[in-house]
Amino acid sequence: MRLGRIVEVEAYAGEADEASHARMGRTGRNAPMFGPPGHAYVYLVYGMYDCLNVVCEPPGTAAAVLVRAVEPLAGVERMRAARLAHLEARRRDRAAERRGADAAQLARLPAARLASGPGLVCAAFSVTRSADDGRDLCAGDGSLRLLAAADEAPPARIVATPRIGIGYAGEPWRGLAWRFLDADSPAVSGSRPRQPGRG
DNA sequence: GCAAGGATATCG
DNA sequence: GATATCCTTGCA
């Protein structure tokens, strides 16, 4: 079993939100966003990476939260294997030595970096559009589940920043600080984990 | 810094 | 039916 703690998310507010896939109304792709809350909306970005969203609000209101980074807690080696499988699926035409280099690089990657980005979250947890788009993440018997960490203290420092990669959206949407991350987690996205204290 | 890569939404 | 664009990543 692979288990992780969500340490970075972005909020998307519905059809009025110019940064949201729901901004053009209901389409074939974004239909799960208009469905019941607690279900997954999985989409392909840049032709290469799946991204996982959790639908929020009642049916008809297309709000969602994008899961941008997960701190691995259990099943780290399965995540590493899933990351390698993802690379190999994309690079099956490349030379065999390339795959060997990928495996070696992944083996050196710290566990905290295995799911430190929205595309990497899906690669590490084997989330795909075909298998998981529209899935009920709250179903007790599902293979992909969203759990509440009821007995765990909330992060001491939660940082809010503008959302990533939405420069096409107008104000106020572009400037809203709707990306939230655990500033003390080494698993948040970005090339370097943030250092506490001085920056 | 920027290329890779495929589906999507929009326009004709 | 064609194409500009896209909620990214890893290598130069």
Side-chain angles (χ1 to χ4, degrees), chain A residues 64-193:
Chain A
V65 166
L66 169 67
V67 179
R68 284 191 53 88
V70 169
E71 186 174 304
L73 295 177
V76 167
E77 290 315 310
R78 277 199 67 190
M79 295 182 199
R80 226 181 282 275
R83 286 284 308 276
L84 183 60
H86 180 258
L87 282 177
E88 290 190 349
R90 285 211 47 247
R91 296 176 172 177
R92 67 171 68 91
D93 296 335
R94 304 262 182 116
E97 67 248 28
R98 175 74 249 173
R99 297 205 296 271
D102 290 338
Q105 187 170 359
L106 266 176
R108 289 194 304 270
L109 193 66
R113 301 266 95 202
L114 281 171
S116 59
L120 302 182
V121 168
C122 288
F125 284 84
S126 306
V127 176
T128 63
R129 276 173 308 144
S130 57
D132 300 304
D133 192 28
R135 170 191 292 281
D136 183 359
L137 298 174
C138 300
D141 58 348
S143 60
L144 178 65
R145 277 185 277 172
L146 186 66
L147 307 173
D151 57 350
E152 186 174 318
R157 297 191 305 145
I158 297 178
V159 168
T161 81
R163 296 173 287 182
I164 305 299
I166 55 153
Y168 55 87
E171 297 295 351
W173 309 104
R174 183 171 44 188
L176 291 172
W178 279 2
R179 170 180 177 237
F180 304 95
L181 55 93
D182 179 348
D184 296 310
S185 172
V188 297
S189 68
S191 55
R192 295 288 180 205

